[in-house]
Every structure is written in structure tokens, then in C-alpha cells.
Amino acid sequence: MQNAELILNHESLLGEGPSWDEAAQRLYWVNIMEKKLHIYDPVKQANDTFQLDQYVGAAVKRSTGGLVLALQHGFHTFDLNTEQLTPIEDPESHLPNNRFNDGKCDPAGRFWAGTMAIEGGGNVGALYCLDTDLSVRKAFGGVGCSNGLAWSPDHKTMYYIDTPTRQVAAFDYNIESGEIQNKRIAITIPEGEGGPDGMTIDAEGNLWIAHWGGYKVSKWDPVSGKHLADIPIPAKQVTSCVFGGENLDELYITTARIGLEEQELQKHPHSGGLFRVKTEVKGMATYEFLG
Ligand code: CA
């Protein structure tokens, strides 16, 4: 595997949530704490920025146009031309100290996104599912920091990361109903390697996991639980990754500067940048919201 290359020196406080738009060949990503939505075009090497008025956890493409965002105050549609935000539903309007964090669409086009305390700590978060009829249901609560999501290429398994557990959980996933059951632990990240944050999955069913506080993305077989490879990243807070590019064999990786001491930032000045690495395997495409 090649080394990760810095493609955008951005100094994001909390770069996160990359998703790949195959039709437009561009990357949506967010800067949660600075309330920014970005669109990166790798051909033009241009990064557009939309300034929002609340924390933005995740952005997904909507098949009928525009995006759907998981914001501090719930799910919203976003028109990229007018920059109009339209609320769909806020399932945690009664929890003002929470915000949405990571989210992603499933193979049936539902948008799953979870929450956490704005200040961190406590198991006060939950995982929600915005269905294609725009109804929202709570999948489960008791979540510390809702993060990575992925679905197996055969659509039978959903993977999920609640960062403080250091684990990747697996569920049986019913693509027709969106129901999940039979939770078990697929992967446990060893102590000293940071916490599992965002993740994505390749066409062979292996998971690529960003390590918050761990300077790397790691590759795992979630069926055997075997650790397969590491991609070192010159930034401590590695937050998420997604496959993109013409052949879906380029892994885009987001990072953050939040919580880092000045000494650490001097040692790793590209913390907060966007990185990319060519892989020998193709990734699964990003699913769109079909509602
Ligand atoms: Ca995250």
C-alpha cells in the first residue's frame, strides 16, 4: 500500500464524515465544530465551503437533489443552490446538550445517524434512522459517542462503532425493514491505538477504521476479527474515511486538530487536513438518501 498523501492542507478543527458522490466525482465532508459543510473536487483540487449556523455531524446526497444533513438540531434537507436548510425532524429536541455526530445511508437509502453529548462523556447518545418516508425512529440509546457505520456487501450485516467501547459491533440487518438484531462484537481495538471513530467497508467486506488519537487507519476482517493492515497518518486525530475516485480505489481520510497541544500541532502540522491513499482493493460505493 502507498503512503497517505495530504491532498488538502485545511487545519480543520474537526474534519469528519466524508462521503463520495460517484456521479459528480466529488467528496462531501464536514467540519463539525466550525459548522462547515465542504465539497472537495479532486480534479479541480477545489474545496467549496458552506457556512452553517449549527454543528453539522454528517452530510449525505439526496437522490432527488441536494443533501440531507444531520445537524445539532436534527435532520434537515439542504439545497446547494439556495443554501436553504429545511428541518425534517429533531428526535432530540428535549436534549439540548446533545448534537448529531457521524451518519451514513444504508443500502436501501435510509439515513442512519447518531448523537453524543456536545461536551462529551456519559452514555446519553442514541442511534436514529431517518427512513425514506422522512419518519425518524430510534434504533437504540445508551450510546457514548455514536460514530462509524457500514453495511456488508451482501447487505446482511450492519457494523457500528460507539467509540468509548473501543469495539465494532455487528448486527443482523434486514434491508427490507431496516431492522437490526442479534448484536455481537466483531472487533476490539487494542489499548494504546486510540479509539475507533469513523469507518468504511471495501468490496471484499473488510472494514477500514479511523483511529481517534491513534495516527492511523486500520483494516480488519470483521468476520474473523483479524487485523489485516495499518495505514499510518501524520495526524493524531484520524476521524473517518470513505472510498472514492473513478475506480473507487482511493481512500479519502479526514482528520482533526481539536484537543491537540501546540507541541503536537508543530510535530504534525497537517493535522486537520484531508488525506488520500490508493488501495489495492475497491471500496463499496457511498449510498444516497432515497427519500
Ligand atoms: Ca466521528
Side-chain angles (χ1 to χ4, degrees):
M1 195 145 24
Q2 296 174 9
N3 287 331
E5 157 198 19
L6 178 75
I7 54 167
L8 190 66
N9 187 12
H10 199 261
E11 301 194 357
S12 283
L13 191 57
L14 186 47
E16 266 284 4
S19 66
W20 180 250
D21 182 337
E22 251 192 309
Q25 291 285 301
R26 57 190 192 174
L27 185 83
Y28 305 112
W29 63 292
V30 300
N31 179 340
I32 299 177
M33 302 314 282
E34 293 177 87
K35 307 174 181 176
K36 287 175 176 153
L37 163 71
H38 296 297
I39 303 180
Y40 178 72
D41 182 328
V43 174
K44 295 179 186 156
Q45 295 187 7
N47 189 54
D48 287 340
T49 301
F50 298 84
Q51 182 66 55
L52 304 167
D53 61 2
Q54 46 182 310
Y55 300 131
V56 51
V60 296
K61 184 182 181 181
R62 190 179 191 190
S63 61
T64 54
L67 303 179
V68 182
L69 308 180
L71 296 176
Q72 181 181 354
H73 300 299
F75 292 103
H76 291 68
T77 60
F78 185 65
D79 186 315
L80 288 167
N81 297 315
T82 63
E83 301 190 24
Q84 174 75 38
L85 271 179
T86 307
I88 299 172
E89 188 176 329
D90 183 3
E92 293 195 346
S93 54
H94 58 298
L95 297 173
N97 298 324
N98 274 11
R99 64 165 172 85
F100 267 94
N101 197 43
D102 207 335
K104 194 175 282 179
C105 287
D106 75 9
R110 304 177 191 93
F111 183 14
W112 296 69
T115 59
M116 60 178 285
I118 292 171
E119 301 294 335
N123 288 323
V124 296
L127 180 67
Y128 297 91
C129 178
L130 172 67
D131 215 325
T132 52
D133 64 1
L134 304 187
S135 66
V136 178
R137 71 185 165 84
K138 184 175 175 176
F140 50 81
V143 172
C145 180
S146 192
N147 262 312
L149 286 156
W151 287 265
S152 61
D154 67 5
H155 303 161
K156 288 182 177 167
T157 307
M158 183 176 105
Y159 299 104
Y160 177 70
I161 290 171
D162 177 7
T163 297
T165 66
R166 317 185 56 78
Q167 294 167 333
V168 180
F171 297 84
D172 294 341
Y173 164 71
N174 182 326
I175 188 171
E176 303 297 332
S177 65
E179 278 170 30
I180 50 172
Q181 54 188 352
N182 187 25
K183 182 183 178 184
R184 63 269 184 195
I185 302 310
I187 293 162
T188 300
I189 300 296
E191 289 281 345
E193 298 189 9
D197 194 333
M199 71 176 155
T200 195
I201 193 161
D202 66 33
E204 295 172 356
N206 293 316
L207 293 173
W208 299 66
I209 301 169
H211 287 235
W212 177 262
Y215 302 94
K216 67 179 179 179
V217 170
S218 61
K219 179 185 178 186
W220 298 76
D221 178 345
V223 177
S224 67
K226 195 173 168 217
H227 175 230
L228 302 174
D230 281 336
I231 305 169
I233 306 293
K236 184 176 183 179
Q237 317 286 45
V238 185
T239 54
S240 191
C241 54
V242 70
F243 284 97
E246 257 180 287
N247 301 309
L248 278 180
D249 61 355
E250 295 171 331
L251 191 71
Y252 284 85
I253 300 154
T254 51
T255 63
R257 295 172 80 79
I258 198 166
L260 298 181
E261 304 281 345
E262 193 50 43
Q263 199 184 5
E264 175 64 38
L265 292 172
Q266 277 175 17
K267 195 173 165 197
H268 295 106
H270 297 145
S271 298
L274 189 62
F275 293 81
R276 185 173 61 198
V277 64
K278 183 103 164 61
T279 56
E280 283 136 23
V281 62
K282 283 191 181 202
M284 293 299 289
T286 300
Y287 301 114
E288 299 175 5
F289 182 66
L290 297 179

